[in-house]
Amino acid sequence: MRRTISIILTMLLALNTAWAVQKVVTDRNVTAEYPLASAEAIKTRGIAVTHTGRIWLSSERQLPGDRRAVVISYADAAEGPWTDVAVIPGVEGGLLWIAPNGGLQIYYMQDGMIYSSACPNSTDAAPVWMPPATVGEGVVSGAPVFCPDRRLALPVQTADGPAIYISADLGMSWTPSGGPCDIPEAVKAYNNPHLYVTPAKELAMVCGSH
């Protein structure tokens, strides 16, 4: 029988905590230089809507040579047309999220690592994607949460159980959670974590049993 568990992780992050800047991986840039072998999506990976109504979609597609990629597309109306604007070859995932500053973010995995990339001008005629940031090991299991202290918290599943990565700069760099925000040992037997902020401004996690 599958069970779910909810825990409260009070965000008491000390202001003097040293948050290490994660290395920016420059050889995994989001790029539009890869020709698509098929216009049909294998799987839809993410969807997000900007304040202007532009719809963004990430989907898994086929590349020449039996390779796959995550393709980022947008449409300015529900009926289309859709425009492919970027390709991330050889990755999995593709969760899309609109940040509090209005920028678009995508989260994806490659070789056991999680990466994020931002598009600060997602409503412009020529959207530009920034070089990706390394988040850390694991698999993204849910959307990031904007915490009351203005940090981002990203829920992930690792080989050791649920985990949280924290960003103090809206996704430009990431560090594992620690201290009062760390995951209790008893919870690490669970999986598929998701986060939300309670009315009391506490960070809460919901996850399931194996």
Side-chain angles (χ1 to χ4, degrees), residues 43-93:
K43 292 180 180 178
T44 299
R45 292 300 189 179
I47 190 167
V49 181
T50 69
H51 70 278
T52 63
R54 173 172 286 180
I55 306 167
W56 284 90
L57 181 74
S58 61
S59 58
E60 188 176 319
R61 303 262 281 275
Q62 194 73 39
L63 292 176
D66 197 30
R67 296 184 301 154
R68 292 187 180 183
V70 170
V71 179
I72 307 172
S73 315
Y74 74 83
D76 288 314
E79 62 273 15
W82 289 89
T83 303
D84 296 335
V85 295
V87 175
I88 318 176
V91 302
E92 298 177 293

Side-chain angles (χ1 to χ4, degrees), residues 78-187:
E79 62 273 15
W82 289 89
T83 303
D84 296 335
V85 295
V87 175
I88 318 176
V91 302
E92 298 177 293
L95 184 146
L96 293 173
W97 185 68
I98 301 293
N101 62 0
L104 179 68
Q105 296 182 0
I106 187 168
Y107 295 82
Y108 54 91
M109 288 78 68
Q110 186 174 42
D111 300 329
M113 296 293 291
I114 302 169
Y115 302 93
S116 66
S117 186
C119 177
N121 63 334
S122 58
T123 60
D124 291 356
V128 176
W129 288 86
M130 305 297 291
T134 303
V135 178
E137 296 182 356
V139 175
V140 176
S141 60
V145 169
F146 189 58
C147 299
D149 64 357
R150 306 188 66 81
R151 301 181 196 267
L152 290 186
L154 181 69
V156 304
Q157 183 69 31
T158 71
D160 297 324
I164 301 174
Y165 286 99
I166 300 293
S167 174
D169 51 16
L170 286 180
M172 300 302 294
S173 62
W174 295 87
T175 187
S177 64
C181 190
D182 204 4
I183 305 294
E185 285 296 326
V187 179

